[in-house]
Amino acid sequence: MTTRRTLLGRAAALTIAGAVACVATLSAPAAQAEEAWPTKPVRVIVPFKPGGRTDTVARLAAKVIEEKDLLGQPLIIVNMPGGGGAIAGQAVLDSDDNHTIAHWHHQMLIANAMGVIQFGPENFKSIGFTGGGSPVWVVRSDAGIDSLETLVTKLKAEPNSMVEVIGIGSIPHFVGALLADKAGFETRKVQANSGADRLKMIAGNNADIALFAASEYLNMKDVGSGLDALVFFGPNRIDNIKDVPTAKELGYDVTWANPNWWLAPASMPDENVEKLATALKTAMEDESVQTYFAQNALDLYWTDGADAQAQSDALLTELQAVAKDIR
């Protein structure tokens, strides 16, 4: 027999069940929304004009990530050159949409060490390195210098007897300064703002030493009387120039890997940074990316965010010391 107490009990049970269902209904979309990040395209700000290595790697990664649906949303590449990277970096830091990141390299550390920009690695969350490219030091083939040791010996015996072409405050300037500090020599320096200008200077016999990306060297080594690479600044030899020793192999603790560095604003949640890292790491395994790196004398590897941050912090300390001497 159904009593009044039984009816009240059934009503209470239905009310509780309804409330639970309601809570579940309300909670599910929230959880799904959280899991669905990113909820719109992710802007990738590149502090250079289109067409260079940093821009190309960003676009290759974006293409693979979209084709394989690794994020659920595309990466949109936005080029913001100028100001030594200050414009691009500040745009990322000023973004408050949780969908803006940067793709840069260690020129940011040089700009920080030289005081060109007012922010540094501590203002970002490091997503990771997607490989990088290292330079070589070259001399003219008719310079009578057949090895780095010959060059170092000459410069120690005759300080400033050879001319090094650099761009003040640029990667060529800092890499040369790091090697000079380790090897104990001095060069006379002349200014050139671009790789093309450095090539004109050295091919025209107006300079003796210049630094080029490995891919630039391969494209230009037969210009004029020819160029000889004496040392490679990568962490290890690469197949494209496997006869060129690394600085470390020659006894000098100097490397410049110039990694493709992905950075997020410090305000981005860690789980979002991790999603980006997983997508980028997976994209680097694609055959199209591997082919580009191999054809352009680049080193393909993945370094996670924490290790990338630690390496960059250590390098920044070293660059700040160099900057005090060369300003």
Side-chain angles (χ1 to χ4, degrees):
M1 183 175 69
T2 302
T3 65
R4 183 171 181 274
R5 179 174 295 178
T6 303
L7 289 172
L8 288 173
R10 288 178 180 173
L14 288 171
T15 301
I16 293 171
V20 170
C22 183
V23 169
T25 301
L26 291 173
S27 300
Q32 289 169 4
E34 184 176 345
E35 292 173 358
W37 188 94
T39 58
K40 62 181 182 179
V42 176
R43 286 198 309 160
V44 180
I45 296 181
V46 176
F48 306 105
K49 296 178 180 178
R53 187 195 87 189
T54 308
D55 176 72
T56 301
V57 170
R59 292 178 187 277
L60 275 173
K63 183 172 183 290
V64 175
I65 285 173
E66 184 168 10
E67 287 177 348
K68 296 188 174 181
D69 195 23
L70 298 177
L71 274 177
Q73 293 283 347
L75 301 183
I76 305 299
I77 311 303
V78 179
N79 299 92
M80 287 190 186
I87 298 171
Q90 198 59 54
V92 176
L93 295 176
D94 290 343
S95 66
D96 57 1
D97 62 354
N98 193 28
H99 285 75
T100 301
I101 62 175
H103 184 225
W104 209 341
H105 56 57
H106 276 167
Q107 178 65 41
M108 182 181 79
L109 303 182
I110 289 179
N112 179 275
M114 293 293 287
V116 175
I117 57 176
Q118 302 306 312
F119 51 79
E122 71 277 8
N123 298 109
F124 297 89
K125 281 185 180 175
S126 175
I127 302 171
F129 294 158
T130 51
S134 299
V136 292
W137 239 29
V138 308
V139 296
R140 289 188 313 280
S141 297
D142 61 359
I145 303 293
D146 61 0
S147 69
L148 181 63
E149 284 312 294
T150 304
L151 183 75
V152 171
T153 299
K154 177 178 174 59
L155 286 170
K156 283 184 173 179
E158 305 170 46
N160 297 314
S161 60
M162 300 186 75
V163 177
E164 178 186 359
V165 57
I166 62 168
I168 294 175
S170 68
I171 290 174
H173 194 183
F174 272 75
V175 174
L178 289 169
L179 181 61
D181 180 62
K182 298 292 184 183
F185 62 75
E186 295 180 15
T187 61
R188 283 188 292 133
K189 296 180 176 57
V190 294
Q191 166 78 3
N193 288 324
S194 69
D197 290 338
R198 291 198 300 277
L199 177 63
K200 287 179 185 175
M201 294 287 287
I202 194 166
N205 204 14
N206 296 307
D208 303 301
I209 308 164
L211 184 120
F212 294 107
S215 58
E216 290 178 321
Y217 164 68
L218 289 169
N219 291 331
M220 303 183 307
K221 64 181 182 178
D222 296 324
V223 170
S225 61
L227 304 176
D228 288 342
L230 301 181
V231 57
F232 179 55
F233 291 99
N236 40 261
R237 296 192 191 202
I238 57 174
D239 289 341
N240 311 67
I241 49 171
K242 57 185 177 184
D243 58 328
V244 181
T246 68
K248 280 199 167 187
E249 287 176 332
L250 297 173
Y252 305 111
D253 187 15
V254 180
T255 59
W256 190 269
N258 209 28
N260 304 298
W261 196 9
W262 300 79
L263 296 157
S267 59
M268 183 171 282
D270 289 343
E271 56 269 29
N272 297 351
V273 173
E274 188 59 34
K275 282 187 177 181
L276 288 164
T278 300
L280 290 167
K281 182 181 179 182
T282 303
M284 290 302 103
E285 297 168 358
D286 189 81
E287 185 177 353
S288 65
V289 178
Q290 294 178 353
T291 298
Y292 172 79
F293 273 69
Q295 291 178 343
N296 289 277
L298 300 173
D299 200 6
L300 182 59
Y301 53 86
W302 167 256
T303 303
D304 67 32
D307 286 345
Q309 184 74 46
Q311 290 179 29
S312 300
D313 288 345
L315 180 58
L316 178 58
T317 299
E318 196 171 359
L319 295 176
Q320 287 170 334
V322 172
K324 289 181 180 177
D325 295 332
I326 66 177
R327 278 177 182 159

